[in-house]
Amino acid sequence: QVQLVESGGGLVQAGGSLSLSCAASGRTFSIYAMGWFRQAPGKEREFVASISWRGTDTDYADSVKGRFTISRENAKNTVYLRMNSLKAEDTAVYYCAAPARPFTVQVGEGDYWGQGTQVTVSS
């Protein structure tokens, strides 16, 4: 059974930085793309970032390009999201996601989800 567990959320001032981690278990981590999504209060869940199974291809939402960095460490079965220059509008619950199919470049719509971690940016 695939399990994804996020950590690292919290409260930060605007302009600050925060790093999220997502630990995966239940299958071979290194052959699956991984991604991050977020959902702000009263809004739909939206894509944030994705990293390919090889780790060579990344994709970002326009709203976070240049500020967020997704990376992965296969030896630890973990994907990270480094968030810099945070804005109030980045406030949301952040979810780690993984696809059902291996060897993809994108995470797609996500088939497996973590429980989410709250990120709050105060202005």
Side-chain angles (χ1 to χ4, degrees):
Q1 182 178 356
V2 177
Q3 288 192 320
L4 304 174
V5 180
E6 301 98 335
S7 60
L11 174 64
V12 63
Q13 289 189 329
S17 299
L18 207 58
S19 289
L20 305 182
S21 299
C22 171
S25 62
R27 64 181 185 181
T28 303
F29 176 78
S30 61
I31 63 173
Y32 293 91
M34 295 293 295
W36 290 92
F37 291 72
R38 67 185 181 186
Q39 187 168 20
K43 294 189 176 181
E44 299 279 324
R45 185 154 55 187
E46 64 175 0
F47 168 78
V48 175
S50 177
I51 186 165
S52 64
W53 72 278
R54 290 183 184 273
T56 53
D57 297 281
T58 57
D59 189 28
Y60 298 92
D62 288 343
S63 58
V64 307
K65 276 182 184 174
R67 299 188 298 122
F68 290 13
T69 302
I70 188 171
S71 61
R72 62 189 299 154
E73 189 170 359
N74 289 341
K76 294 186 176 181
N77 291 349
T78 300
V79 62
Y80 304 98
L81 186 68
R82 175 66 176 177
M83 304 182 292
N84 296 327
S85 303
L86 282 161
K87 306 175 182 180
E89 51 263 44
D90 294 318
T91 295
V93 177
Y94 282 71
Y95 297 91
C96 177
R101 290 176 57 202
F103 308 118
T104 61
V105 174
Q106 297 275 357
V107 70
E109 295 298 315
D111 296 292
Y112 299 102
W113 297 87
Q115 82 288 349
T117 185
Q118 177 70 47
V119 171
T120 303
V121 184
S122 63
S123 57

